[in-house]
């Protein structure tokens, strides 16, 4: 696989962008930072499938496309299936010798939001991983159905106010916990599963390169801060992602072959979860005295998750 | 190559006058090509070397989204490329490890580049959209002393 050097940012910046501007994602959207980085970290031909979601509707507004690679969209749920199908066809045609350029390296990538990954496309993703297609699935996790107006998904964390779990006099917002998708995908026995964040660009680029060069189905959950639904200023996307990774709400780690867990980033100063929650409008109501118990619960769960990850890393099982 | 539409004449006929076709005759979806002609080596071509088609959003603009715009000061820049890696709109033009400037056709004015700029004073600052670039550079702030 032809990889772009990610030794330092200057070297990385010589990559030629294959994701064009003038897409219609919100200003400051982390989706495009993640997509750009994936497409910049390799020179190989890419076949990209996308689930319905912000990324899909904003980058393929007829008659425009922002993609300089092969790109396909079918339905809400089946980016994984589309990528798997393309990969199966590619292999079959390679075997039959009907490819125009059989030596050209090709990578298959599927993008989905958290709604289409955690909820609607879960069965399709699970099936494609189980069948063992050689593709990389990247979930752009913004913890809400942002494209349709901010409904809750099973990725929405506790206490978050969304349009279908609004906070008010009676409710403190979303009542349920976030689904642990990374562990679920690791349990499929996928050769490479990781959670990455765009503020740590080098770790993310290396993770992408590892996933692309690994044969078999790989799953990557990326934190994608949403200025519109998380309710913060567009300039703070990277700052907020910093808060997310440094407060360990989104720990950065990888799981290889469903077994070996490596923590890829340990913050020097672990921030309290309050700092992360307080920076977003969707959690503002949690700072009322009657919702104090949700904040305590938040911190307790984040601490427990971090403890579990460290134990798993030590135990190597 | 042209984009192929489900019904080629979409928009040219009055509503309700479409010919009825069977389910297996309808061509679904749309194919648009980002480039004219050969596009096998795109990953090794810079934007200015590519032959974009009219369907690529590269040929479109979102400049009207902006109310404030980033202005770039070459004198202070250290070419760290932070703005390049985190620009969500592919609007930072970098060539040969050097930052060249801002693509104002694709910039939406989100201010991420200003926030991630590490120099003191910052080499990217936001100004009103109507501000003249030279005037903006003339009123650049001085180096801030670090508070101890």
């Amino acid at each position: 696989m032809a990889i772009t050097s990610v030794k330092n940012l200057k070297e990385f910046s010589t990559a030629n962008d294959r994701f064009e501007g003038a897409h219609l994602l919100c200003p400051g959207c982390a989706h495009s930072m993640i997509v750009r980085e994936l497409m910049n970290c390799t020179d190989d031909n890419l076949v990209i499938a996308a689930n319905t979601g912000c990324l899909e509707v904003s980058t393929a507004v007829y008659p425009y496309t922002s993609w300089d690679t092969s790109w396909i969209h079918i339905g809400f749920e089946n980016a994984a299936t589309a990528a798997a199908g393309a990969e199966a066809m590619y292999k079959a045609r390679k075997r039959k010798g009907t490819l125009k350029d059989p030596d050209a390296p090709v990578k298959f990538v599927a993008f989905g939001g958290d709604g289409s990954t955690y909820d609607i496309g879960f069965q399709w993703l699970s099936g494609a991983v189980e069948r063992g297609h050689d593709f990389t699935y990247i979930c752009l996790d913004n913890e809400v159905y942002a494209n349709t107006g901010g409904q809750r998904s099973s990725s929405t964390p506790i206490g978050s106010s969304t349009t279908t779990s609004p906070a008010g006099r009676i409710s403190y917002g979303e009542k349920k916990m976030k689904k642990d998708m990374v562990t679920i995908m690791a349990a499929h026995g996928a050769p490479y599963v990781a959670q990455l964040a765009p503020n740590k660009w080098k770790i993310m680029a290396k993770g992408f390169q590892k996933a692309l060069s690994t044969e078999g189905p790989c799953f990557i959950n990326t934190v994608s801060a949403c200025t519109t639904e998380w309710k913060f200023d567009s300039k703070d996307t990277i700052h907020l992602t910093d808060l997310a990774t440094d407060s360990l709400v989104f720990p950065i780690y990888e799981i290889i072959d469903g077994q070996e867990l490596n923590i890829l980033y340990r913050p020097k100063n672990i921030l309290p979860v309050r700092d992360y929650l307080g920076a977003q409008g969707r959690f503002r109501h949690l700072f009322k005295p009657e919702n104090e118990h949700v904040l305590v619960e938040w911190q307790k769960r984040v601490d427990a998750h971090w403890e579990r990850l460290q134990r798993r890393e030590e135990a190597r099982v | 190559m042209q984009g192929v539409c489900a019904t080629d004449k979409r928009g040219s006929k009055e509503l309700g006058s479409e010919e009825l076709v069977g389910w297996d005759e309808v061509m679904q979806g749309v194919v648009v090509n980002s480039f004219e002609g050969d596009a096998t080596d795109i990953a090794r071509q810079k934007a200015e070397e590519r032959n974009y088609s009219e369907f690529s959003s590269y040929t479109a603009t979102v400049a009207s989204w902006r109310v404030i715009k980033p202005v770039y000061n070459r004198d202070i820049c250290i070419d760290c490329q932070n703005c390049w890696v985190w620009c969500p709109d592919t609007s930072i033009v970098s060539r040969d490890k050097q930052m060249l400037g801002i693509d104002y056709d694709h910039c939406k004015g989100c201010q991420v580049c200003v926030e991630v700029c590490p120099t003191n004073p910052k080499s990217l600052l936001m100004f009103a959209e109507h501000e003249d670039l030279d005037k903006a550079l003339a009123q650049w702030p001085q180096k801030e002393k670090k508070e101890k």
Side-chain angles (χ1 to χ4, degrees):
Chain A
M1 169 185 153
I3 53 171
T4 318
S5 167
V6 291
K7 210 169 78 194
N8 56 48
L9 252 187
K10 283 196 181 191
E11 301 246 341
F12 191 35
S13 75
T14 56
N16 300 314
D17 273 302
R18 283 188 281 175
F19 185 67
E20 298 301 344
H23 52 69
L24 304 185
L25 290 163
C26 300
C29 179
H31 274 30
S32 41
M33 299 179 191
I34 297 163
V35 172
R36 270 190 67 216
E37 192 155 334
L38 175 103
M39 296 174 86
N40 282 334
C41 75
T42 176
D43 275 357
D44 290 356
N45 295 335
L46 291 168
V47 176
I48 295 180
N51 278 330
T52 305
C54 284
L55 182 74
E56 178 266 319
V57 299
S58 308
T59 58
V61 188
Y62 188 76
Y64 292 117
T65 172
S66 301
W67 303 85
D68 293 351
T69 59
S70 308
W71 182 87
I72 185 170
H73 165 251
I74 303 174
F76 204 139
E77 66 290 333
N78 49 19
T81 320
E87 188 260 359
M89 180 205 68
Y90 175 79
K91 272 192 178 158
R93 289 192 58 178
K94 199 165 188 174
R95 199 173 56 238
K96 291 176 187 166
T98 55
L99 281 178
K100 212 161 108 187
D101 188 1
D103 299 324
V106 183
K107 300 287 173 211
F108 297 87
V109 180
F111 281 108
D114 59 287
S116 59
T117 306
Y118 285 61
D119 302 343
I120 296 174
F122 182 62
Q123 177 193 332
W124 282 258
L125 171 62
S126 180
V129 173
E130 186 261 322
R131 291 190 299 273
H133 292 282
D134 182 11
F135 78 115
T136 301
Y137 189 99
I138 294 172
C139 171
L140 305 160
D141 184 5
N142 55 16
E143 303 191 320
V144 74
Y145 283 88
N147 176 37
T148 47
Q151 292 83 1
R152 72 164 291 278
S153 77
S154 59
S155 166
T156 306
I158 189 167
S160 173
S161 177
T162 69
T163 49
T164 47
S165 64
R169 205 151 36 85
I170 294 164
S171 166
Y172 59 79
E174 172 68 23
K175 296 276 188 308
K176 291 171 228 49
M177 300 305 301
K178 183 180 166 128
K179 199 194 257 182
D180 188 354
M181 195 67 180
V182 181
T183 312
I184 294 172
M185 295 320 293
H188 281 70
Y192 186 78
V193 174
Q195 177 156 278
L196 304 169
N199 60 329
K200 303 292 165 205
W201 70 268
K202 199 170 186 173
I203 300 174
M204 187 161 90
K206 282 186 173 167
F208 285 161
Q209 292 180 342
K210 205 164 177 178
L212 290 175
S213 53
T214 302
E215 207 179 318
C218 303
F219 176 83
I220 293 177
N221 196 50
T222 54
V223 188
S224 183
C226 176
T227 65
T228 310
E229 298 302 339
W230 295 16
K231 299 185 177 67
F232 62 90
D233 202 79
S234 69
K235 69 180 167 44
D236 292 328
T237 308
I238 292 299
H239 172 62
L240 204 92
T241 319
D242 278 337
L243 290 176
T245 52
D246 287 12
S247 65
L248 300 173
V249 173
F250 280 99
I252 300 180
Y253 61 101
E254 61 181 15
I255 304 175
I256 296 163
D257 291 328
Q259 295 288 328
E260 189 188 327
L261 189 146
N262 300 314
I263 294 172
L264 300 174
Y265 170 67
R266 286 167 206 278
K268 281 197 187 90
N269 301 311
I270 297 176
L271 300 173
V273 172
R274 269 167 195 277
D275 290 8
Y276 167 71
L277 301 180
Q280 302 169 54
R282 62 174 175 157
F283 294 118
R284 196 183 311 139
H285 55 282
L286 294 185
F287 291 84
K288 286 180 188 161
E290 65 266 30
N291 290 330
E292 178 68 23
H293 67 282
V294 186
L295 289 176
V296 176
E297 175 81 9
W298 248 104
Q299 186 69 55
K300 215 167 72 187
R301 295 204 178 238
V302 167
D303 289 347
H305 185 52
W306 181 238
E307 178 70 21
R308 195 161 63 243
L309 290 180
Q310 296 196 89
R311 292 260 182 97
R312 261 197 81 178
E313 189 189 33
E314 267 173 49
R316 316 306 285 167
V317 285
Chain B
M1 278 218 257
Q2 288 293 305
V4 185
C5 202
T7 51
D8 282 350
K9 293 162 193 153
R10 181 177 289 168
S12 64
K13 276 185 183 176
E14 269 182 54
L15 218 63
S17 68
E18 299 92 349
E19 283 170 45
L20 292 174
V21 288
W23 64 270
D24 52 347
E25 292 163 341
V26 176
M27 201 167 94
Q28 290 197 343
V30 170
V31 176
V32 291
N33 291 301
S34 311
F35 302 99
E36 307 274 3
D38 182 57
T40 46
D41 212 26
I42 290 304
R44 279 161 292 280
Q45 283 175 346
K46 296 181 171 47
E48 54 271 22
E49 296 161 2
R50 296 174 181 166
N51 190 9
Y52 288 104
S53 79
E54 57 181 324
F55 297 110
S56 172
S57 71
Y58 184 80
T59 60
T61 176
V62 284
S64 60
W65 289 33
R66 278 197 311 266
V67 284
I68 46 172
K69 65 177 174 189
V71 175
Y72 172 56
N73 190 333
R74 177 69 238 177
D75 298 340
I76 308 163
C77 181
I78 54 169
D79 291 314
C80 70
Q81 307 295 353
N82 273 0
C83 51
W84 174 83
V85 78
W86 283 311
C87 175
D89 294 300
T90 328
S91 299
I92 304 291
V93 185
S94 278
R95 296 286 180 267
D96 300 323
K97 303 182 186 177
Q98 280 218 341
M99 154 88 169
L100 298 185
I102 296 151
D103 175 354
Y104 284 117
D105 285 337
H106 299 147
C107 173
K108 292 173 188 152
C110 68
Q111 212 179 327
V112 164
C113 54
V114 174
E115 287 299 305
V116 298
C117 182
T119 58
N120 180 12
K122 286 184 183 294
S123 25
L124 284 154
L125 284 175
M126 299 307 280
F127 287 89
E129 177 64 23
H130 55 78
E131 186 74 58
D132 187 63
L133 287 185
D134 291 329
K135 273 187 194 159
L137 286 172
Q139 49 181 287
W140 214 265
Q142 293 298 307
K143 186 172 177 173
E144 272 176 49
K145 278 186 186 154
K146 272 191 184 169
E147 285 173 36
K148 282 180 185 171

